[in-house]
Amino acid sequence: KRTRILFLIFILAALPAMSQNGIDLSVRVGLNIGAAAPTSFPVEIREVCSFNPNFNGTVEMPYALADSSRWAVVAGLRFERQSMSIHARVKGYSTEITNDEGASVAGVWTGDVRTTYDAHQLTLPVAIAYSLSSRLRLEAGICGSLLLS
């Protein structure tokens, strides 16, 4: 069902661009390598037994609004998935576990930890682009995301 909604959003977003000049519309499909992780590895994690970043695909439909110069404004919609599974041995690891009913327990854990993370996001990137040539464009900007799952 989510795939159908995403497809409908992209089709509706493309309709205004089909009738206007000066708009470069494209579709990007990609693969994110890596996973969600803290910036530094916590000292409480003693050993990573297994790590699987899973399939983290991305589908994006960016618009490039260009004038006659090399500058453009780029905006669009991106649907992306970030997921991973990890099995680690920890010592003195502070954690909180919440079940489906909302009950939780918190404490310090020593032993094996198995974590699965899976998130789907709808992202709105906005950037300024400079075309160095017809094949190379530099982009810099910001984005905001809505967590769907």
Side-chain angles (χ1 to χ4, degrees):
K1 181 175 176 151
R2 245 183 271 205
T3 306
R4 284 186 238 152
I5 292 171
L6 178 65
F7 181 74
L8 181 61
I9 289 172
F10 281 137
I11 294 298
L12 291 176
L15 290 177
M18 291 179 188
S19 63
Q20 297 179 7
N21 293 332
I23 296 178
D24 177 23
L25 176 65
S26 59
V27 175
R28 298 178 186 166
V29 178
L31 179 66
N32 293 328
I33 300 172
T39 55
S40 63
F41 219 63
V43 68
E44 295 85 1
I45 297 177
R46 305 298 178 160
E47 177 186 358
V48 175
C49 302
S50 68
F51 174 74
N52 182 358
N54 300 330
F55 178 78
N56 296 313
T58 299
V59 177
E60 181 178 5
M61 181 179 283
Y63 294 97
L65 305 170
D67 59 8
S68 59
S69 70
R70 294 178 175 248
W71 292 95
V73 175
V74 180
L77 285 174
R78 179 186 318 145
F79 179 76
E80 55 191 335
R81 177 181 183 218
Q82 295 179 349
S83 66
M84 69 171 192
S85 300
I86 188 167
H87 172 211
R89 288 197 177 92
V90 299
K91 182 175 182 181
Y93 190 69
S94 178
T95 188
E96 182 175 354
I97 300 169
T98 305
N99 67 9
D100 292 336
E101 287 81 36
S104 65
V105 64
V108 177
W109 176 259
T110 297
D112 285 351
V113 174
R114 294 179 191 272
T115 303
T116 301
Y117 177 77
D118 191 16
H120 295 84
Q121 301 175 45
L122 187 61
T123 302
L124 176 66
V126 178
I128 300 294
Y130 182 76
S131 297
L132 296 173
S133 68
S134 63
R135 298 183 58 132
L136 185 61
R137 180 171 71 190
L138 299 177
E139 294 182 14
I142 61 172
C143 63
S145 296
L146 174 65
L147 185 63
L148 301 176
S149 64

